[in-house]
Amino acid sequence: MQLPTYPDVIAAALRLEGFAHQTPVFTSRTLNADTGAEVFIKCENLQRTGSFKFRGAFNALSRFDEQQRKAGVVAFSSGNHAQGIALAASLLGMPATIVMPADAPASKVTATRGYGASVVLYDRFTEDREQIGRTLAVEHGMTLIPPYDHPHILAGQGTAAKELLEFTGPLDALFVGLGGGGMLSGTALSTRALSPDCQLFGVEPEAGNDGQRSLRSGSIVHIDTPATIADGAQTQHLGNYTFPIIRDRVNDILTVSDAELVASMKFFMQRMKMVVEPTGCLGLAALRGMGDQFRGKRVGVIVTGGNVDFQNFATLIQEAS
Ligand SMILES: *Cc1c(COP(=O)(O)O)cnc(C)c1O
């Protein structure tokens, strides 16, 4: 198994040019005052399809050969990967089929269909999405692209940190949300190349700390689907590509509670005028939980996504007030 390296991230960035947004990097005086640090927020909630997943998806589909393009792509996803794949497939003129849980947020199902993909719904508690995806792939000759454990996916995700670090220069610390580790492993490749001494932290929901346990035990820990509002990080284990990269290049994996995620959602809304989904708040929630440990330092946070049902958003913010 050949693990991707930073040159793969550079190649992905070239493929994404003109297709993905170079998302803005925002600062907040309030946040700087609260933490004593100079904080740079990379806004992947403002990426096409509302999350960084478009980066990996477009990179992966760009590498299909003629035969693969004709048969198209199949993906299983609770949402953001689905939208990323759907838009990337439509831009590249190939068919896409997405296997989604029947209880996925309505906005995500609607958006995925809106990008032109066919959606196949399944029951998250009784059916195996990977099995459904594989069957579709075999029966129709489609190529299955997983949400994180794929070298072209993680190389694509690494382009967000590449943009951030090229903009800010070296950082002292960087906080990144963690599910299956596509984003964190790609970020690790860019960080070790562009800011080798930066402390790199992955951040998981407290209820699903398989990544933290994996890093500490040295092998991939599997857990049951965790109960958390961070629906983009309800993964059960890291991947065979993502884990070794994370193990060798990430300083630590931290956890935050759902209440801390909601507090950060509220912060983004009130102070920065941004809608950020619960999973997108992982990085900021961890930084805020560390008080002023980074006083005088330059710190990056990747906001990973902004796709949240309006009703759900309103309810969560209400509960926090
Ligand atoms: C997918 C996703 C994550 C987790 O990314 P991984 O590559 O699975 O670790 C974090 N935040 C958002 C918004 C996501 O969509």
Side-chain angles (χ1 to χ4, degrees):
M1 195 175 81
Q2 181 89 22
L3 292 176
T5 57
Y6 184 59
D8 296 302
V9 180
I10 298 175
L14 290 173
R15 286 184 203 103
L16 287 170
E17 237 175 59
F19 292 99
H21 293 320
Q22 296 233 2
T23 51
V25 177
F26 291 152
T27 56
S28 154
R29 287 166 54 95
T30 310
L31 187 55
N32 289 352
D34 289 352
T35 58
E38 190 180 4
V39 185
F40 300 93
I41 306 277
K42 175 71 170 167
C43 296
E44 286 298 298
N45 54 315
L46 304 178
Q47 183 51 263
R48 294 184 83 169
T49 72
S51 90
F52 70 84
K53 293 286 201 315
F54 176 72
R55 295 177 182 267
F58 191 88
N59 186 49
L61 300 198
S62 298
R63 310 216 29 186
F64 278 20
D65 63 25
E66 204 45 51
Q67 192 61 40
Q68 287 177 300
R69 279 175 196 249
K70 229 179 244 154
V73 59
V74 59
F76 46 83
S77 164
S78 60
N80 287 341
H81 176 60
Q83 293 178 56
I85 289 283
L87 177 61
S90 132
L91 292 172
L92 292 164
M94 67 175 89
T97 302
I98 311 291
V99 183
M100 295 181 94
D103 62 350
S107 59
K108 293 190 177 181
V109 179
T110 307
T112 305
R113 289 207 171 105
Y115 291 123
S118 333
V119 174
V120 175
L121 296 173
Y122 76 101
D123 181 344
R124 202 150 60 84
F125 298 98
T126 62
E127 293 180 290
D128 180 359
R129 66 179 190 174
E130 308 198 9
Q131 191 53 52
I132 296 172
R134 269 188 221 103
T135 306
L136 282 167
V138 169
E139 283 176 1
H140 303 281
M142 300 170 184
T143 304
L144 181 65
I145 296 293
Y148 56 86
D149 203 23
H150 189 291
H152 303 160
I153 290 288
L154 74 88
Q157 318 305 32
T159 60
K162 175 177 181 290
E163 282 171 23
L164 171 64
L165 291 164
E166 282 172 350
F167 177 77
T168 60
L171 293 173
D172 297 304
L174 178 55
F175 292 81
V176 186
L178 168 62
M183 183 48 149
L184 183 57
S185 58
T187 298
L189 296 179
S190 296
T191 304
R192 290 304 162 239
L194 300 174
S195 184
D197 298 327
C198 177
Q199 287 191 68
L200 176 57
F201 299 105
V203 186
E204 287 180 312
E206 186 172 86
N209 68 339
D210 61 289
Q212 186 181 60
R213 287 161 58 194
S214 302
L215 189 68
R216 290 177 188 176
S217 70
S219 58
I220 300 173
V221 170
H222 290 242
I223 58 167
D224 290 336
T225 301
T228 168
I229 56 170
D231 59 315
Q234 283 182 310
T235 41
Q236 294 174 267
H237 54 84
L238 299 179
N240 294 321
Y241 286 94
T242 61
F243 176 65
I245 296 174
I246 289 170
R247 182 191 58 207
D248 296 346
R249 293 175 179 78
V250 170
N251 293 80
D252 202 2
I253 294 175
L254 314 169
T255 64
V256 295
S257 67
D258 280 5
E260 289 175 295
L261 292 176
V262 174
S264 286
M265 256 172 89
K266 199 172 158 188
F267 178 89
F268 278 128
M269 186 198 71
Q270 285 187 311
R271 299 292 178 172
M272 300 186 74
K273 316 305 162 202
M274 291 205 297
V275 174
V276 180
E277 65 183 276
T279 318
C281 294
L282 285 164
L284 182 68
L287 172 62
R288 278 163 47 104
M290 291 171 91
D292 66 352
Q293 280 187 51
F294 293 96
R295 182 160 294 282
K297 306 284 190 194
R298 305 173 81 245
V299 177
V301 172
I302 299 183
V303 174
T304 51
N307 293 321
V308 52
D309 268 358
F310 169 71
Q311 199 51 253
N312 185 18
F313 182 80
T315 307
L316 288 170
I317 295 287
Q318 186 88 37
E319 280 169 3
S321 337

